[in-house]
Amino acid sequence: MKGMKSRMAEEKNTLSTTTSENVSDVTLTSNSVVANLREAYVIAKTLCQAEIIPDAYKNKPADCMIAVDMANRMGVSPLMVMQSLYVVKGKPSWSGQACMSFIQANPNFTDVRPVYVENQNTGGKGCYISAKRTSDGSVVNGVTVTMAMAKAEGWTKNPKWQNMPDLMLAYRASAFFARVYCPSVLMGVSVEGEIEDITTKSEKGAKKIL
C-alpha cells in the first residue's frame, strides 16, 4: 500500500513539473511577442510625429507600428515600407517600384532586369523580368506582359498605361515574377494594380449575377 502511494506521489510531482514547464514555455513565447509589439509601438510613436514620413502615417502610431514590424521582418528601413506600402480599398499594396527592388535585393537572384520585346504575334510591345539564380547560375525568365494582355484584362483603363506604358509593363512583369519565383518577398501583400483589378472583376461578376 505504501509503495502504491509512493508511486502515485511521484507521478503527481512529475505531472506538476511537466505542466509548469509547458506553461512557462507558453508564457515566454507570449511575453516575447508582446515585448516585440511594445518595442515596435514605442518606435512607432516617435516615427508618427516625423514630418518626413508619408501623410497616411502621420499621427497614426498603430499604422506605423505595423510598418515597423514588417520592416523588421524584411530587414529594411521602416521608412522604405511607409513610402512603398499604401492602402487601396482597405487592403495594403506594394508599389510596382518596391516590388522590383525586393526582387533585386533577393539573395537568390542576380542580374535582375526588365527585358522589352516587340512581337506582333505575342500581342505587340511586352516586357518580362530576367534574372540569374545564384545557386546554379541558370537564367530565369518571368511571364511576358504585353499591351494586348493589358487591354484584355482592362488594365489600360488606368491612365498611367497610356502615359507611361513601358514603366507599367515592367511593374506588372515584376509582380508576376515575384508571385512565381520569390513570393515570400511580398509577405502576402498585393502589388500596385492587383487590388483594383480584383475589385473591378468582382464588381463585374456581381452585376452579371444580379
Side-chain angles (χ1 to χ4, degrees):
M1 190 69 174
K2 289 183 180 180
M4 183 179 294
K5 288 183 177 180
S6 178
R7 286 196 300 273
M8 290 177 66
E10 290 178 0
E11 290 176 359
K12 184 177 181 180
N13 289 335
T14 301
L15 178 61
S16 176
T17 301
T18 303
T19 303
S20 298
E21 289 177 351
N22 290 341
V23 171
S24 177
D25 290 341
V26 173
T27 302
L28 285 174
T29 302
S30 299
N31 286 342
S32 177
V33 173
V34 172
N36 289 338
L37 288 177
R38 284 176 178 169
E39 183 178 353
Y41 190 72
V42 170
I43 297 172
K45 284 198 297 185
T46 301
L47 286 176
C48 74
Q49 300 175 40
E51 288 296 327
I52 195 173
I53 66 173
D55 291 339
Y57 291 91
K58 288 181 180 178
N59 299 314
K60 294 181 180 178
D63 290 350
C64 287
M65 181 183 72
I66 294 174
V68 170
D69 180 60
M70 290 185 70
N72 183 53
R73 295 171 186 274
M74 298 171 69
V76 299
S77 165
L79 183 59
M80 177 184 178
V81 172
M82 292 181 188
Q83 291 176 331
S84 304
L85 187 69
Y86 58 96
V87 178
V88 178
K89 297 186 178 181
K91 296 182 179 180
S93 179
W94 292 117
S95 68
Q97 183 177 0
C99 183
M100 177 64 81
S101 298
F102 295 153
I103 298 172
Q104 292 175 333
N106 191 308
N108 295 322
F109 299 100
T110 60
D111 299 332
V112 180
R113 61 192 179 90
V115 178
Y116 291 94
V117 296
E118 186 77 37
N119 190 326
Q120 296 299 325
N121 295 327
T122 59
K125 177 177 283 189
C127 177
Y128 65 88
I129 302 301
S130 179
K132 184 182 293 184
R133 290 188 190 277
T134 55
S135 59
D136 57 10
S138 61
V139 176
V140 178
N141 293 327
V143 175
T144 299
V145 179
T146 66
M147 289 303 297
M149 182 192 298
K151 291 177 181 178
E153 292 294 322
W155 304 339
T156 52
K157 291 180 180 179
N158 183 335
K160 289 183 179 180
W161 281 91
Q162 305 297 331
N163 301 329
M164 48 186 76
D166 288 354
L167 192 61
M168 297 304 290
L169 284 170
Y171 284 169
R172 189 54 64 104
S174 66
F176 280 6
F177 186 95
R179 290 284 174 217
V180 176
Y181 297 105
C182 50
S184 61
V185 302
L186 301 178
M187 294 188 68
V189 177
S190 297
V191 180
E192 181 178 7
E194 291 182 335
I195 296 296
E196 296 93 326
D197 295 341
I198 294 173
T199 303
T200 301
K201 289 178 181 178
S202 297
E203 290 175 350
K204 287 182 178 179
K207 290 179 179 178
K208 288 181 179 179
I209 293 174
L210 296 174

